[in-house]
DNA sequence: GTCTATATCGAGATAGAC
DNA sequence: GTCTATCTCGATATAGAC
């Protein structure tokens, strides 16, 4: 059912569909262009003009479709966060089922790290989204930082699971080690990879995300075992 | 030799000294205020007006003493980076002497992590400087990021030492694990601590930097041993 | 709904008085 | 050297034509 398959269809319907589609298309163009530019250059270094120019839409589109530049940033952040955390929760759930209620540390960490690492792959559709999320965490608006601080229910699933896996550890040991693991994850920024590549003279390649995930899991699992 | 110990001294000399001192004082007031505000709120969220108001000096001071807001940021970054890396290099040197040329992994990591962790102490003079440096790493100007990427000689001392300590590891294993360790370090931002405190319901305290250093060293050392 | 033109604001930088 | 007043620019947001 291509748009041209039935040109004789009612004119009114066609206009309606076109209108709705165009609006959705424009809004999405803005969303995607903004996410990309924010991820690459930082929120404050990208103007509404940059965004609309890159998206090939009108300057007023941002305010019309999202209300403000801040609100646009927030909407991107929310959508991608929900998306990422849903993947993580699904993997944690699967691991819990596999192990009849209490998966080992490695499986819990894998549920936490695999989704973002998959997003990091050079050809992955969400590659730029991950960079956006990492940036938003420290460069975002007050509203975003407020959400990050108060909404920790997502993380709690993982700390709870880790405590069940390691009941011998004091809770604060688990929290700190989870903090360290997240630090490793959030350091996966393009700029940091570039720096690492300079240091290693090109021998480290972040393109092989499977290998990188394995390295991170091994490092973090050993840290938890200590 | 306090300034009031010899009020009968030559008037000309006193004026000269006062002039020089006042200039140095003003410049330093700007430097310190800017470092603090940048560290707390981010480079882009702090205006020259904010800085001069906080420092209690004139609006034109930033441009007069530093040339521009960017140049001010750069000067703070350079001074603190040199300061931090000097402490680290000294510790690495001492460890190398202690172990007759090739210190173990733990001592190398301690040389890398102890100086910044000491700075993190609640009553430490450089507490805010560390937050500044962490922020500058991702939020700084292009010039700062360029320096970070090209000047890796400081880091190379540590990767070389680690390779000597673990000649059995492939160089890229060392580079990646160093990258992970630095990720842990750079995650020590106030905002991340706050979030961790919410998650742990106050049981994690970053105020005890000795304990935090020990935790980080144990985690990273285990990661290197894997 | 879309787009142009513009209002409004706040920023960094600076000229010129003292 | 210091400070006030101001220049200039670039930003977001929006009014109003179509």
């Amino acid at each position: 059912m291509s748009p041209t398959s039935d040109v004789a269809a009612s004119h009114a319907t066609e206009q309606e569909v076109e209108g709705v589609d165009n609006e959705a298309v424009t809004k999405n163009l803005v969303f995607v262009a903004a996410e990309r530019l924010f991820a690459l250059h930082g929120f404050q270094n990208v103007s509404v003009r940059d965004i609309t120019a890159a998206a090939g839409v009108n300057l007023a589109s941002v305010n019309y479709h999202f209300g403000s530049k801040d609100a646009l940033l927030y909407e991107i952040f929310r959508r991608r966060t929900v998306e990422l955390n849903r993947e993580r929760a699904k993997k944690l759930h699967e691991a819990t089922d596999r192990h009849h209620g209490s998966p080992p540390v490695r499986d819990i960490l894998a549920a936490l790290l695999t989704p973002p690492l998959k997003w990091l792959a050079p050809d992955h559709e969400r590659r730029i989204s991950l960079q956006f999320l990492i940036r938003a965490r420290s460069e975002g608006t007050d509203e975003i930082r407020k959400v990050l601080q108060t909404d920790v229910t997502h993380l709690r699933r993982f700390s709870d699971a880790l405590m069940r896996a390691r009941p011998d550890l004091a809770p604060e040991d688990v929290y700190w080690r989870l903090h360290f693991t997240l630090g490793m994850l959030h350091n996966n920024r393009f700029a940091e990879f570039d720096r690492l590549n300079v240091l290693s003279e090109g021998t480290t390649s972040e393109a092989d995300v499977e290998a990188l995930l394995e390295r991170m899991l091994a490092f973090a699992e050993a840290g938890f075992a200590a």
Side-chain angles (χ1 to χ4, degrees), chain A:
Chain A
M1 293 259 262
S2 84
T4 56
S5 64
D6 195 357
V7 259
S10 113
H11 200 61
T13 301
E14 227 184 308
Q15 275 189 332
E16 258 178 26
V17 172
E18 269 183 6
V20 171
D21 273 1
N22 282 347
E23 184 174 357
V25 164
T26 296
K27 187 169 182 182
N28 198 52
L29 283 173
V30 170
F31 185 100
V32 171
E35 179 180 41
R36 169 169 211 89
L37 291 174
F38 289 159
L40 292 176
H41 307 112
F43 180 57
Q44 308 260 22
N45 296 315
V46 172
S47 69
V48 172
R49 280 172 170 79
D50 294 333
I51 295 166
T52 51
V57 302
N58 189 268
L59 172 61
S61 302
V62 166
N63 285 285
Y64 178 74
H65 288 287
F66 297 92
S68 71
K69 187 191 175 189
D70 278 23
L72 167 59
L73 179 78
Y74 188 72
E75 188 160 329
I76 300 171
F77 172 75
R78 283 311 286 262
R79 195 195 295 182
R80 296 311 187 205
T81 297
V82 166
E83 212 173 327
L84 180 62
N85 287 346
R86 186 166 298 158
E87 288 188 26
R88 285 168 154 175
K90 181 164 176 279
K91 279 205 182 297
L92 181 58
H93 193 74
E94 288 168 357
T96 306
D97 284 351
R98 267 201 314 278
H99 293 88
H100 310 96
S102 186
V105 167
R106 187 185 171 92
D107 290 59
I108 300 166
L109 295 179
L112 187 70
L113 300 180
T114 302
L117 265 286
K118 275 202 190 308
W119 283 21
L120 200 62
D123 57 350
H124 199 283
E125 195 190 13
R126 291 285 169 271
R127 175 172 171 78
I128 214 71
S129 306
L130 184 67
Q131 298 298 314
F132 172 90
L133 284 177
I134 292 175
R135 259 195 201 268
R137 158 169 291 280
S138 54
E139 292 173 48
T141 61
D142 285 344
E143 200 181 6
I144 284 181
R145 279 189 293 274
K146 203 169 156 189
V147 169
L148 279 170
Q149 273 185 37
T150 54
D151 178 22
V152 289
T153 52
H154 157 68
L155 259 192
R156 178 147 291 132
R157 284 197 281 256
F158 288 87
S159 57
D160 284 351
L162 286 165
M163 285 186 234
R164 278 196 298 276
R166 290 291 306 273
D168 55 311
L169 287 178
E172 60 260 38
D173 288 329
V174 170
Y175 290 129
W176 276 116
R177 292 175 192 192
L178 179 57
H179 172 73
F180 296 153
T181 305
L182 290 172
M184 293 168 60
L185 175 65
H186 298 150
N187 200 37
N188 287 334
R189 274 170 286 166
F190 290 159
E192 296 291 341
F193 284 144
D194 288 344
R195 186 163 189 240
L196 182 63
N197 282 332
V198 172
L199 176 65
S200 74
E201 288 162 330
T203 61
T204 50
S205 169
E206 71 275 11
D208 186 351
V209 290
E210 289 288 339
L212 176 52
L213 172 62
E214 177 53 38
R215 284 181 192 283
M216 289 185 65
L217 277 176
F219 194 96
E221 191 188 10
F224 266 92

